Structures are given as structure tokens and as C-alpha cells.
Amino acid sequence: QVQLLESGGGLVQAGGSLRLSCAASARTFSIYTMGWFRQAPEKERDFTASIGGSGANINYADSVKGRFTISRDNAKNMVYLQMNSLKPEDTAIYYCAAKDVTYSRWKYWGQGTQVTVSS
């Protein structure tokens, strides 16, 4: 059982930066692969970035590669998403997620935090 809580969303201008945080309530946080997903209005929820339990094995969606950076601090049970060079197309609700350990499926989700990028 994992509880996740996102924070750090807000309104920024195109070209600006924002850092999202996700606090996890998990007994053994380091065993979980963590990820960020986003859902724009009238769109499906899409994969954005993921990071393995040790901080290795990092993956990004092509749309954010080179602009976003995912990281984690296992001592603090935290995962982060640094977002630079933001575009209006990045506007979405951003969700933190954790994979099920046994079946490697995204199982645990936060409530989401709104990111709005204005032009």
C-alpha cells in the first residue's frame, strides 16, 4: 500500500520553469519504480517520465525529453519532476504514480496537481 501526494503545480508563462514534488507514504519506498503522468483537457492520461527504485533506469516521453528531469530522494520518500522551457502544450493535471512490485503495473496514484502554461 502506497499513498502519494503531489504538490508544486501552478500557473507559469511559456518558457518558464516549475518543480513538482511527490511525497510517498511507503514502508520501503526504494523498491518502487515511480513515474509522472499527465492528462490535458479532453485527452487521455499519458506517460511523462519514470525512474527506477535506485534512481537509475530513467525514461521520458519524447515530448518532454531535454526539458524535464525526474529524480528521487529515497531518504525522504520523495520524487520530483523539474520542468523547464515550458510550453502551453504542457498544460495538464500531473499525477504521481508507483508501480506494483509483483506485476510491474502502475497501481498507486496521487490526486494530481494542476499545471497551466500561458502564452
Side-chain angles (χ1 to χ4, degrees):
Q1 298 182 358
V2 180
Q3 299 171 16
L4 305 172
L5 180 62
E6 304 96 332
S7 63
L11 174 64
V12 298
Q13 290 188 336
S17 298
L18 207 60
R19 189 194 194 196
L20 305 183
S21 299
C22 174
S25 177
R27 190 172 184 275
T28 52
F29 178 64
S30 64
I31 70 173
Y32 294 99
T33 291
M34 301 295 297
W36 289 95
F37 291 73
R38 64 186 185 179
Q39 186 168 21
E42 303 177 0
K43 299 291 183 64
E44 295 182 344
R45 185 174 298 184
D46 291 331
F47 168 82
T48 304
S50 65
I51 185 168
S54 69
N57 204 6
I58 293 174
N59 294 282
Y60 296 100
D62 287 341
S63 58
V64 306
K65 192 172 297 183
R67 299 188 298 121
F68 291 11
T69 302
I70 188 171
S71 62
R72 67 191 294 160
D73 186 339
N74 288 341
K76 298 180 178 179
N77 280 25
M78 298 287 291
V79 61
Y80 307 97
L81 186 67
Q82 178 66 46
M83 306 185 295
N84 298 326
S85 302
L86 283 163
K87 305 174 181 179
E89 307 94 271
D90 297 319
T91 295
I93 300 175
Y94 284 72
Y95 297 90
C96 180
K99 274 191 175 182
D100 177 86
V101 175
T102 302
Y103 299 103
S104 191
R105 296 177 179 178
W106 299 105
K107 181 177 180 179
Y108 305 101
W109 298 86
Q111 86 292 338
T113 185
Q114 177 70 48
V115 172
T116 303
V117 184
S118 64
S119 59

